[in-house]
Amino acid sequence: MGICNFKRAASPSISKSCRYCTHKNKRLQSSKHCQLSMGICGQIDRHLFSSITPAVELIVCKCSSQVMANIAWAYTVADVAAPSIFNDDFIKACLEKEDEFNTLTLTQLHQWQLWQEELNSTVRLPPSLQGKCHDAFISRVPSYSAMQDDVFSKLCSIGLEPKEEVLTERGYRLDALVEVNGEKNGIEVDGPSHFLCRNPTGSTLLKRRQVTNLEGIPVISVPYWEWGILGRDSSKKQQYLRALLELS
């Protein structure tokens, strides 16, 4: 992970979570807690998450709103069920700190709530807080890139009718949505920020998983390095997309 410059890649909020929990609980001082932060960046170690759950259980409801949301999001990305952490006490603590959550942490809680849906869990945030989380999640302004425009253009050139920047029912935004052989497919134009050493980040993995599992829409990635190597050759780009979408 060192070659990927993990410290630069991890968000400041994750780093803060690591420092806070290290201070609050000596068990989390070990390298395992650093691996938890790596897990947030897509380096998933399910055994790690299971092994630190008893320690996290002791402190999670005493943490700040930011750290609570970070922990919830980390487990969401890892997809490791932890009912001893995420239970009625956790919901109560969220309500007590409701006014402290900001846009980022509300977004993390929204994805955590979607994870509970994936798990068929009965643990739910109250409707009012769910609404705040959903609103924060969809409030993010879409960003466009030249690569995205190029991919969209080439999708049109091979006879497809893509819809751009599609907002799904659960709040995810897809770069493009195309119908192939009667099935909807999400297209994600993944630039460098979606990867660490060409491995998808936790956020990227989570989006793919939840859109597929909850929306029933397979997500197909167009990585920046694969697209970039095609240069300006429109024919090769069309061929690439046809192969990716399994078009005859």
Side-chain angles (χ1 to χ4, degrees):
M1 190 64 180
I3 62 173
C4 300
N5 198 348
F6 171 75
K7 290 183 179 180
R8 176 174 57 82
S11 69
S13 62
I14 294 170
S15 299
K16 182 177 180 180
S17 173
C18 189
R19 290 195 302 271
Y20 179 90
C21 291
T22 297
H23 175 71
K24 293 295 290 183
N25 192 302
K26 290 185 178 180
R27 182 172 180 178
L28 298 182
Q29 288 179 357
S30 67
S31 61
K32 289 183 178 180
H33 187 69
C34 293
Q35 290 173 13
L36 172 59
S37 293
M38 293 180 189
I40 295 173
C41 289
Q43 306 302 309
I44 307 302
D45 184 338
R46 294 179 182 278
H47 176 71
L48 158 67
F49 280 83
S50 297
S51 68
I52 66 172
T53 291
V56 175
E57 178 186 349
L58 294 175
I59 67 164
V60 63
C61 292
K62 301 174 184 178
C63 291
S64 67
S65 58
Q66 179 177 327
V67 174
M68 283 181 63
N70 286 343
I71 291 171
W73 191 79
Y75 274 86
T76 299
V77 172
D79 195 21
V80 175
S84 62
I85 297 175
F86 306 114
N87 49 31
D88 290 343
D89 289 337
F90 179 80
I91 298 299
K92 181 180 178 182
C94 286
L95 281 174
E96 290 173 351
K97 298 176 174 67
E98 181 172 355
D99 293 336
E100 300 174 19
F101 291 114
N102 56 29
T103 299
L104 173 60
T105 51
L106 287 170
T107 290
Q108 291 175 314
L109 283 181
H110 177 73
Q111 291 176 303
W112 172 84
Q113 185 66 86
L114 292 181
W115 178 47
Q116 299 309 301
E117 189 177 342
E118 285 186 275
L119 295 174
N120 293 315
S121 167
T122 58
V123 178
R124 293 285 187 272
L125 294 169
S128 60
L129 186 50
Q130 281 193 43
K132 287 184 180 179
C133 292
H134 181 269
D135 289 347
F137 193 65
I138 65 174
S139 69
R140 294 169 297 174
V141 179
S143 59
Y144 299 88
S145 67
M147 177 181 164
Q148 185 174 337
D149 290 340
D150 193 21
V151 171
F152 191 83
S153 172
K154 297 305 181 291
L155 287 169
C156 293
S157 72
I158 61 174
L160 297 176
E161 299 179 355
K163 297 179 180 178
E164 197 169 15
E165 290 296 336
V166 174
L167 186 66
T168 70
E169 181 180 343
R170 288 169 176 80
Y172 278 105
R173 198 176 293 275
L174 297 170
D175 291 337
L177 187 69
V178 297
E179 188 169 317
V180 178
N181 299 323
E183 183 180 75
K184 292 180 179 178
N185 290 266
I187 305 293
E188 284 292 283
V189 181
D190 290 330
S193 65
H194 293 268
F195 301 94
L196 290 173
C197 294
R198 296 192 176 180
N199 293 314
T201 63
S203 179
T204 300
L205 290 171
L206 181 58
K207 180 177 183 178
R208 293 176 186 175
R209 191 188 84 214
Q210 291 193 326
V211 170
T212 300
N213 290 347
L214 298 176
E215 311 276 4
I217 301 173
V219 178
I220 298 171
S221 172
V222 180
Y224 69 94
W225 67 88
E226 291 185 2
W227 192 255
I229 204 171
L230 301 174
R232 297 184 178 181
D233 192 322
S234 294
S235 179
K236 286 184 177 180
K237 289 178 176 179
Q238 291 170 346
Q239 184 178 0
Y240 172 88
L241 290 173
R242 286 183 180 278
L244 200 63
L245 293 166
E246 298 182 352
L247 290 170
S248 55

